[in-house]
């Protein structure tokens, strides 16, 4: 096929452009294709990992119901080792910690709560881990360590129920140390926070009873209440 002069110039120009930029363009297109394929593989891997984590968590729940402590510890290890980046790992750590505490194994429970504090993705699960860990340490008489878990600075960006729960627990620690004025301050702060929320009035009444006991000259019980304080955060895996 014959081309006129204008068409020949265009073809020559196109050839020149391709010789100059063709390899680079091919590399870019290939790179995009590889990136898209890699992203799809990563998405599949993430879905597969979450599905396996969900299965392990379901097995953990069955082990807990069956009171099978060896199996509970085994499955918790699987969740924390292989699926640490999923919500099921932090949920599993909390469940296993409670189970071990109920069984009298505070050492294992502490290790699982410490994992939650250091590795949980959801900030409210980390806060719940701190709260429960402080309760265990309080029971063991490790007041300074318990207090470190729920210092004011660790609660400043949390929801109001958690801020109140941290203040309540600090009050419990001060009671155990016979620092009654400090306990009154913390309980008062907790009540003020809780009374600002209609859904926290019942918990506010519990803390108010402790405060009333102090104001009346009676040292209220400071038994930790980790299961009834701040609501369990809802995490969507």
């Amino acid at each position: 096929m014959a081309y006129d002069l204008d068409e020949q110039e265009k073809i020559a120009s196109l050839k020149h452009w391709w010789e100059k930029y063709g390899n680079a363009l091919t590399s870019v297109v290939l790179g995009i294709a590889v990136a898209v394929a890699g992203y799809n593989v990563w998405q599949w891997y993430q879905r597969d990992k979450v599905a396996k984590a969900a299965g392990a968590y379901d097995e953990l729940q069955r082990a807990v119901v069956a009171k099978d402590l060896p199996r509970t510890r085994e499955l918790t290890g699987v969740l924390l080792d292989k699926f640490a980046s999923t919500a099921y790992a932090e949920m599993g750590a909390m469940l296993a910690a409670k189970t071990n505490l109920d069984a009298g194994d505070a050492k294992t429970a502490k290790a699982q709560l410490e994992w939650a504090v250091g590795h949980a993705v959801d900030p409210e699960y980390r806060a719940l881990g701190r709260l429960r860990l402080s309760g265990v340490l309080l029971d063991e008489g490790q007041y300074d360590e318990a207090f470190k878990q729920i210092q004011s600075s660790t609660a400043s960006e949390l929801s109001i129920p958690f801020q109140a729960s941290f203040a309540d627990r600090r009050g419990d620690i001060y009671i155990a140390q016979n620092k009654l004025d400090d306990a009154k301050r913390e309980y008062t702060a907790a009540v003020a926070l809780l009374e600002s929320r209609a859904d926290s009035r019942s918990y506010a009444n519990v803390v108010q009873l402790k405060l009333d006991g102090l104001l009346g000259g009676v040292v209220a019980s400071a038994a930790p209440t980790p299961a009834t304080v701040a609501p369990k955060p809802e995490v969507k895996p």
Side-chain angles (χ1 to χ4, degrees), residues 12 26 46 61 70 80 101 124 160-161 164 167 184 226:
T26 301
Q46 289 297 107
Q61 289 181 304
L80 304 192
L101 273 179
E124 294 206 336
I160 286 177
K184 291 176 187 177

Side-chain angles (χ1 to χ4, degrees), residues 135-168:
V136 177
L137 293 168
L138 172 58
D139 282 344
E140 294 180 342
Q142 299 184 53
Y143 305 134
D144 291 340
E145 292 302 313
F147 193 85
K148 286 178 183 178
Q149 296 297 328
I150 37 93
Q151 296 178 72
S152 299
S153 59
T154 60
S156 59
E157 296 181 359
L158 295 174
S159 62
I160 286 177
F162 269 110
Q163 292 182 43
S165 296
F166 276 37
D168 179 25

Side-chain angles (χ1 to χ4, degrees), residues 60-72 99 102-103:
L60 173 62
Q61 289 181 304
R62 288 194 289 271
V64 167
V65 171
K67 300 185 184 302
D68 186 342
L69 285 179
R71 183 63 173 158
T72 295
T99 302
D102 291 345

